[in-house]
């Protein structure tokens, strides 16, 4: 639920919502802040498989990457970059449909925000979730076909970490 919508529903300010969510999170509540609003972790069904993929592309290619993934039935859980000063910076996305992707791209398109990958010359990591390893493998294959997937130095395996 977007913070502004919560504020309207509860007849309070958005800032009050932000502070209250921060207090809830500090007390141990598993509340995720995504680009589309807040979600309690218990509301997220966990699929059978999860993987992380390392990709690189330009900001203009973001739509192709994200639409390709959700079209395959993959949820793009988050995005992470390795910053030279701050270390890993990770942001929740929870994109699982074309509508989710369009909303995310609209927000980026306003010019008030930038993609995290712009900090690292397009290099970034996504945590992906899917109902099966086969779906994740199709996602890797498609990212490779698009030229986005970063391969390791030996070219023997795709750069992913998987856990069931």
């Amino acid at each position: 639920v977007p913070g502004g919508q919560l504020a309207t529903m509860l007849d309070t300010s958005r800032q009050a919502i932000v502070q209250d969510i921060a207090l809830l999170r500090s007390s141990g509540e598993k509340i995720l802040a995504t680009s589309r609003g807040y979600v309690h972790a218990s509301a997220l069904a966990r699929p059978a498989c999860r993987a992380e993929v390392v990709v690189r592309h330009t900001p203009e290619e973001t739509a192709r990457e994200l639409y390709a993934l959700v079209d395959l039935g993959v949820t793009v859980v988050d995005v992470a970059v390795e910053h030279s000063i701050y270390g890993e910076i990770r942001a929740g996305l929870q994109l699982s449909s074309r509508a989710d992707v369009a909303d995310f791209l609209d927000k980026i398109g306003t010019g008030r925000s930038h993609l995290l990958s712009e900090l690292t010359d397009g290099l970034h990591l996504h945590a992906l979730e899917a109902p099966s390893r086969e779906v994740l493998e199709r996602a890797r294959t498609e990212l490779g076909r698009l030229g986005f997937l970063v391969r390791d130095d030996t070219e023997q395996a795709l750069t992913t970490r998987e856990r069931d």
Side-chain angles (χ1 to χ4, degrees), residues 103-115:
D103 183 54
F104 173 75
L105 295 172
D106 285 346
K107 288 177 182 172
I108 294 295
T110 66
R112 294 190 334 221
S113 296
H114 296 277
L115 298 167

Side-chain angles (χ1 to χ4, degrees), residues 64 68 72 137-149 151 158:
R64 284 180 54 210
L72 288 168
E137 192 55 42
R138 284 196 298 270
R140 287 189 197 103
T141 299
E142 183 62 10
L143 290 170
R145 187 189 71 74
L146 292 169
F148 299 155
L149 193 65
R151 297 179 184 272
L158 302 178

Side-chain angles (χ1 to χ4, degrees), residues 4 18 41 49 57 66 87 113 117:
V18 171
C49 292
H57 57 75
L66 296 175
S113 296
S117 61

Side-chain angles (χ1 to χ4, degrees), residues 27-164:
S27 71
E29 285 296 323
K30 304 291 185 205
I31 299 172
L32 306 174
T34 74
S35 62
R36 295 178 297 131
Y38 299 108
V39 63
H40 197 277
S42 64
L44 300 174
R46 288 289 179 216
C49 292
R50 182 180 175 107
E52 290 186 333
V53 293
V54 179
V55 292
R56 173 176 262 147
H57 57 75
T58 66
E60 296 77 24
E61 295 170 313
T62 301
R64 284 180 54 210
E65 173 204 36
L66 296 175
Y67 284 131
L69 291 168
V70 299
D71 285 351
L72 288 168
V74 171
T75 296
V76 183
V77 176
D78 63 22
V79 59
V81 296
E82 186 67 32
H83 192 271
S84 60
I85 295 173
Y86 299 114
E88 182 181 84
I89 302 171
R90 189 172 289 267
L93 296 176
Q94 292 300 323
L95 306 175
S96 58
S97 70
R98 284 186 152 261
D100 293 346
V101 172
D103 183 54
F104 173 75
L105 295 172
D106 285 346
K107 288 177 182 172
I108 294 295
T110 66
R112 294 190 334 221
S113 296
H114 296 277
L115 298 167
L116 281 181
S117 61
E118 291 180 55
L119 297 171
T120 56
D121 194 31
L123 184 65
H124 58 288
L125 180 136
H126 284 300
L128 306 176
E129 293 180 342
S132 69
R133 286 178 180 252
E134 292 76 24
V135 172
L136 288 174
E137 192 55 42
R138 284 196 298 270
R140 287 189 197 103
T141 299
E142 183 62 10
L143 290 170
R145 187 189 71 74
L146 292 169
F148 299 155
L149 193 65
V150 175
R151 297 179 184 272
D152 70 11
D153 290 338
T154 64
E155 291 292 323
Q156 292 178 357
L158 302 178
T159 307
T160 62
R161 293 188 299 253
E162 217 174 89
R163 62 179 183 245
D164 289 327

